[in-house]
Structure formats: structure tokens, C-alpha cells
Amino acid sequence: MIKVTNLSKSFDDLAVLKEISFEVNKGEIVVIIGPSGTGKSTLLRCLNYLEAPTSGSVEIGEICVDAKKHNNKQITQLRKQSSFVFQNYSLFANKTAIENVAESLITVWKTTRNEAQETAKNILIKVGLEDKLNFYPSQLSGGQQQRVGIARAMAAKGEVILFDEPTSALDPEWVEEVLAVMKQLALEKQTMIVVTHEMQFAKEVADRVIFMEGGYIVEQGTPEQIFEHPQHKRTQAFVKRALKR
């Protein structure tokens, strides 16, 4: 369902991603781990062209975009196939929770305002925010804001939800409430690609774990393979450090 082929990204002379290739099946949860600064978030942003790759192609569903030859219409179609959960929430400060979730339904999918708000209400109830529908982001905790961000991604109707370190900006007491929503999505077989430092979440929820370092995919496999029997020395060293935290 998702196919990434020879994806590279450079900022001037700095190569951040180097010939990245992998596939994700429908309903699969893929977790990407690795040291900070190794290109994980850049990879995620390249998948829906928040960052334009330097070379390579991204295919989601029926839409394939080649970095060397594409147009704005193709990028718009690709973005409709995915939704993005940001580490810093990125909610509209002047809109309530229900308005934040309904926004893409109205502007992208041309849903009527009444229908969009009804859909948004149902999704916010699903993520446990039925009593916060008309609250503004400034009135919500970090965990609640991130749950609104996840609800917004759920409303976007994409084939895959991309999570960019969704708990990294949260105080510890809010992390579990966000992970609980993600675990529920996993049970429902929502296709997800997750960049995270939450190793326990990766062990419990991922179908496949990808370890990146230095802009490359070094190793990938099941959580058991990566956390219990890593083959590459770089993976072994990272996992040993990460599991000690």
C-alpha cells in the first residue's frame, strides 16, 4: 500500500536521507527508531511532501510521486492519502477542538459544516474528549491537545497516519493517555508509521521496527528481532542504551 523507493534528501551539501527504500502493508504499524539527528522526522515529512525529497519516489495507495518529475496536483493527491500528527500539536489557536478537527473535512474534502462538525464530535468522543469539544488549545493540557491532533488526523480519511514523535513534547503524566489512543488505533488496524523514542510502545504495538542511523536504514524486523536479537552492531548499541532509560 505504501512504497518508498530510493528516497534521498539533502539540505545544500548535507545529505540527510540516503537511498531509503521500504514498504508498508495495509493495516501494518511500522515504528522508526534511531538516534536524534539521523533523519527520522525528515523521512516522515518527505512521505507527504512537507519536505520535498531530492530524489526517489513515494507511492501511497494509487498515487505515486517522483521527486524529479511531479506537479502540484500529484502532491495534493498524495497528501490526501495520509495525515500527520506533529510533535508540537500544530493546532489552530483560534479554533476550538471541534473546529480544529472539522477544518480539513470542510476545506479539503468539501464536507458541509454541519456534517463535518458531527464527524469531528464523534471522533473527539472516541479519543475521550467529549467534554472538551468547545475548548480552545490554550484551555487544554498537552495530552489533550495531542489527542485533538490525533483526532484531526483520523478525520482526514487518509490511508496512513504519520506520527512524528507524538509524545516528545509531553510531560510524563500525559504520555500514557496519548499512547492509549494510538494503541486503540493499532487494534483497529489503522495503518501507521510512527517515529518515536518510546521503546516500550514499539515493543508492544509495532508489527515492524526500522532502525535508522546516519540517514540510512541499518536494520528492520519484528520487535523481537530488533530488541531481542539485533544483527547489526549499531542496532545492538542503540537498543542497549535505549532500553536502559
Side-chain angles (χ1 to χ4, degrees), residues 143 167-180 182 198:
T167 61
S168 66
L170 298 178
D171 289 337
E173 66 265 30
W174 297 330
V175 169
E176 281 306 317
E177 65 185 58
V178 171
L179 293 180
M182 295 172 66
E198 298 288 341

Side-chain angles (χ1 to χ4, degrees), residues 1 17 81 136 147:
M1 189 194 80
L17 299 177
Q81 302 299 310
Y136 290 91
R147 280 188 280 161

